[in-house]
Every structure is written in structure tokens, then in C-alpha cells.
Amino acid sequence: MSTETQSHIFNFSNTYTALPDLFYSKVLPYKYKCPKIEIFNKRLARELGLITEGISKEELVNILSGRILPEGSEPIAQAYAGHQFGHFTMLGDGRAILLGEHQSDTLGKVDIQLKSAGQTPYSRSGDGKGTLYSMLREYLISEAMHHLNIRTTRSLAVLSTGEEVYRHAAHNGGLLVRVASSHIRVGTFEYASRFVGKEGLKALADYTIDRHFPDIATKEKPYVALIKAMIDRQTDLIVDWMRVGFIHGVMNTDNMTLSGETIDYGPCAFMNTYDPATVFSSIDAQGRYAFGNQGNIGYWNLAVFANALLPLIDEDSDKAVDVAKAILQTYPETFSRKWLHMMGAKLGFIYGEPEDEDIIKSLLEWMHKYKADYTNTFLEIMGIKTPDHQQYDQPEFKLWLTKHRDRLDKSNADGQQLMADTNPLYIPRNHIVEQVLNAAAIDGDFTQWHTFMEILETPYTLKADTSSYLTVPSGVDEEYQTYCGT
Ligand code: AMP
Ligand code: MG
């Protein structure tokens, strides 16, 4: 291990390495020759209580790029497997290295991970690196998600590496410093179940419960409770994605966390025009991860999770399957109930009424039929004039609005605040994300980036002169494609 371990910037422990050895590999980050900090999230650094005073810029670059290890760091790459587009594969951190677990007063224990830190034993044929463009993209969207009040991994910094990476052509290399409640995935449990054995699986489950679900530790059947708790967390998360039109794009089981945070922003995108079949990912030809299919895929992934846990549920495998099935069967109802509640909140319904489902569904049908913008439709319902305003001057919509008014009056409570808290004005619209990233990653010009990030920091607050952020040039989405693992 490196001897250059002195800077005390993090308050590190390394509890993951107490798990059996098969769960990780000790590995040192690749030493980039001239890394440079392009973006540093000062606010997050403060929230994490990082000690950066007295540390020179050069030292900070060295630490954040992995050139030197800060005090307490025992870097590892984590092993995991996963179902990718339905097929089981052995994976693991192929380009990410966990520096350590930082203990903070406000955010608790978090992983500090370098993404694009070079090759690991799990890299397969990959180079262990990433483009500056894709690292900035993860920063931008993960931070936007955080400000939209959606659970997510965070981004502390993006560095340019000073090296080129090859993805059909040469691109500027980048590195992301990711902050996560942990990096335990459904795929980590699949890996444990297949390759580590029952004792290892139990160790992982106990570790996860201790770290993420402390209140179920004392339950009589903690592993059954773990499946229930995951159904709760993941349905909350996916419903929150549906609230803002977020399409994760690659909901493989290795990209579903036990913490309930959104992770891996490769091919994700935001839906503009409402259509549940919306897909932007270049490799999702079947629409497996389409906007409207995310709830179903969450169910599928949790069935894989429950299957991995079977050995801990009952010695008798038939009994274990029966127990797991009974819990899983609660997923569809849980998801629908939460989805309805969320859509009701978007419409200002403080208390649910039996007719709500019809009101919601007729609105969605209208949006789909007239290719209305998902975000702007809710703004118009709130009385905010968007650049699409003319589209809403239409008899069918006006009729729907009267029904909505009547419903609001009936509830006898002011739903305006609820709507304002639920419906964002600003989302990272794809064409703007691309413009901003091209300027930053290719031309090194961060002017648009800073303007855009400022808007995305308070997405529920109307700002002057921002109408260009509320509209999409025609034809843009039709051609828009996103990619994995760049
Ligand atoms: P992702 O699509 O980011 O979820 O990654 C899927 C798997 O591919 C993970 O095991 C990654 O670590 C791995 N991977 C992605 N890009 C690279 C790369 N450039 N080098 C090595 N492994 C990679
Ligand atoms: Mg991944």
C-alpha cells in the first residue's frame, strides 16, 4: 500500500473490508499525470464537514484524483454481479474505487468513491476510465436530482484527467468523486448468493441492515423485513422519478441500491413530451426501461433480490419461496397506491377521493394524445404560463380543468402549496444538458454550466428570464440518444 498517506481531509473508516475477502479487492487508484479540478461542490463539502483548510490546491487535486491517499483510506473495488437486461453477469467495480467511508455529522456515514480511477480486477476488457463529458453529466444530473428532493448519490467533484480516452474517437478524460450512502446493490446480494455462500450472504445482509435499516435489526425475521423495507424504499424512489419525468435508462439489478438512492447516471434522461413508452437509451430497443415501465422493472428487480435472500429466509427452500412470494405480491398494490398519491399531489389533492384515478388518467390520456410537455402541463394547471401556453387553450383540456377545479373545491383545502412543492419548473432538459456539457467538456467553457446549475439548485422557484429553460425545440427529442458506460 502507498506510504503517501497523510492528509486528514476525510474522517475515514473501512467497515466494508470486515466482510469476507470475496466481497472486494484491494486496489490502488491509477495515478493520472496532470489532473485538474473542474468542478468542486463546496456546499456538499461543507455538509460533509470535510477539512479542506490548510490543504493546498495541489494536495486537494492529488487526493481527489487518487494520486495520493488521504489518511485512513484503504482503497478497494467492490465485487458484485447483476442482471443486465434480464441476463445474469459477473460485474464489480470495473472503474470505480472506494477510498473509504467518511463519517459526517449531518449526512452520517457515506462512501467516498472515485469513478474513473483506473483498472481493477473487475474491469474485464474495459480501460477503467471515463470521459470528462460523462463524468460532468453524472455530476449535473445527480445534483439536479438532489435539488428535486429525490434520493440520489451525490457528486463532490469532477476532474479532468489530462489524458484522452477512446470511445470510437478520442475524448477528454474525466473523473468523478461520488458520495453515496453506500454502494451495496441488489447485484451485491446476487453475487453473495451465487459465489460467497450462506455465511457470506448472511454477513452482507447483517452489514446492510446495520448500515441502512437499523430498526429491523431486532425484528424476529430481519431478512423478511429487509425485503419488505426494500419494497418500500424502491417504490418510493421510482414513484419520485415518475413525478419529475426521470427515465433511469438502465435499471439493471447492479444499478439498484439498498440505500434507496438513485445510482449510475449513464443513459438516463428526462422526458419532455408525455409518452409512457419514452426511451432514449441507444441499447434499449425493446423499451424494457421505458418511462412507464419503471415500476414493473422495480418489481422484477426485487424478485431477483428476494431470490438471492432465500437461503436466509427458511432452511426449507419451498417454504422460503412461499414466504418471499407472499411479500413480493404486495409490490404492485404498494406501487399503485404511492403512484396515485404522488399524482394526486401533483394536482393539489391533499386528501384522496375515489374519483382521483379517473381525473389523473384522463389528464395523462390528453397529454399523450396532444403530445403535451409533462412538466409544463402541471405548471399550466397551477396557473403558470409556459411557452407552450397556446396548446392549453383547447376545449378538451379546458373541460378537464373544470373537473379539476370542482375536485379541488370539494376537498375544501388549498392544494396550491402542495402543487408548488411537487411540480418542478425546471428539470435538466436533454437539449440544454447537451449544450452545457459540450461547452464544458469540449471547449472548457463553464459559463452556461454555472447558469444552468444555479437554476437547477432551486427547481421549484420561478425565476425571471428563464423561459428558454421551459421549452424544447421541435424535433430534438426524436433524435436524442443516450449511452451507457462512456
Ligand atoms: P454501468 O453501465 O456504469 O452500470 O457499468 C456496468 C459495468 O461495467 C460495471 O461493472 C462497471 O464497472 C463496468 N464498466 C463500465 N465502464 C467501464 C470501463 N471503462 N472500464 C472498466 N469497466 C467498466
Ligand atoms: Mg452500474
Side-chain angles (χ1 to χ4, degrees), residues 80 185 254-255 263-264:
Y80 54 86
R185 305 143 191 269
D254 51 299
N255 291 336
I263 195 169
D264 274 4

Side-chain angles (χ1 to χ4, degrees), residues 24-30 75-80 90-98 113-129:
Y24 60 90
S25 294
K26 292 193 175 182
V27 52
L28 289 173
Y30 173 82
I76 56 167
Q78 293 177 327
Y80 54 86
M90 176 57 206
L91 295 158
D93 289 333
R95 57 171 171 171
I97 293 181
L98 175 64
Q113 193 200 55
L114 307 184
K115 188 166 171 181
S116 285
Q119 287 174 319
T120 77
Y122 315 111
S123 294
R124 296 171 289 166
S125 55
D127 58 5
K129 295 175 183 166

Side-chain angles (χ1 to χ4, degrees), residues 144-387:
M145 291 288 272
H146 169 71
H147 295 298
L148 285 162
N149 302 327
I150 296 176
R151 284 179 70 96
T152 173
T153 61
R154 303 288 306 275
S155 297
L156 180 64
V158 173
L159 288 83
S160 52
T161 63
E163 290 189 12
E164 288 187 327
V165 289
Y166 297 90
R167 305 283 183 266
H168 304 295
H171 298 268
N172 293 330
L175 178 148
L176 175 81
V177 184
R178 179 155 74 183
V179 179
S181 289
S182 88
H183 286 85
I184 303 165
R185 305 143 191 269
V186 166
T188 318
F189 280 83
E190 293 179 75
Y191 171 81
S193 190
R194 286 229 194 180
F195 303 122
V196 190
K198 191 172 165 188
E199 280 312 301
L201 177 65
K202 184 175 178 311
L204 176 68
D206 291 341
Y207 178 88
T208 305
I209 289 171
D210 180 50
R211 197 157 165 185
H212 295 300
F213 304 91
D215 26 323
I216 65 177
T218 51
K219 293 228 159 145
E220 200 189 324
K221 293 186 173 155
Y223 311 117
V224 173
L226 182 58
I227 302 175
K228 281 191 193 145
M230 266 293 271
I231 292 177
D232 213 36
R233 259 186 207 182
Q234 290 299 331
T235 47
D236 277 344
L237 181 67
I238 299 169
V239 163
D240 239 357
W241 293 350
M242 311 291 286
R243 175 170 65 82
V244 299
F246 178 75
I247 307 165
H248 183 283
V250 63
M251 289 174 71
N252 295 330
T253 54
D254 51 299
N255 291 336
M256 183 180 257
T257 59
L258 270 289
S259 63
E261 289 175 346
T262 314
I263 195 169
D264 274 4
Y265 287 90
C268 69
F270 280 78
M271 175 177 70
N272 294 307
T273 304
Y274 175 72
D275 181 353
T278 307
V279 166
F280 292 108
S281 168
S282 63
I283 56 168
D284 191 6
Q286 308 296 319
R288 181 180 170 90
Y289 301 134
F291 176 73
N293 204 31
Q294 299 186 109
N296 294 334
I297 287 296
Y299 190 19
W300 195 94
N301 287 351
L302 290 181
V304 170
F305 178 61
N307 188 52
L309 278 180
L310 288 179
L312 303 182
I313 290 177
D314 203 299
E315 299 266 309
D316 177 335
S317 58
D318 289 340
K319 267 194 200 155
V321 169
D322 288 345
V323 171
K325 268 192 183 159
I327 307 164
L328 279 171
Q329 270 167 15
T330 63
Y331 182 103
E333 194 279 323
T334 306
F335 185 84
S336 304
R337 177 173 40 81
K338 289 183 183 178
W339 180 83
L340 208 57
H341 186 259
M342 174 279 289
M343 291 301 290
K346 280 178 87 62
L347 296 177
F349 305 159
I350 294 170
Y351 310 104
E353 290 279 351
E355 76 225 56
D356 292 354
E357 196 165 346
D358 279 347
I359 295 184
I360 292 164
K361 292 204 165 143
S362 58
L363 175 68
L364 291 174
E365 274 162 26
W366 180 87
M367 275 195 251
H368 195 188
K369 183 171 166 192
Y370 292 99
K371 299 188 184 339
D373 186 272
Y374 187 65
T375 303
N376 289 352
T377 299
F378 292 96
L379 300 183
E380 289 282 343
I381 295 167
M382 288 161 69
I384 296 171
K385 270 193 188 168
T386 71

Side-chain angles (χ1 to χ4, degrees), residues 382-396:
M382 288 161 69
I384 296 171
K385 270 193 188 168
T386 71
D388 302 338
H389 187 59
Q390 249 194 344
Q391 192 179 3
Y392 298 90
D393 195 16
Q394 195 254 8
E396 272 177 70

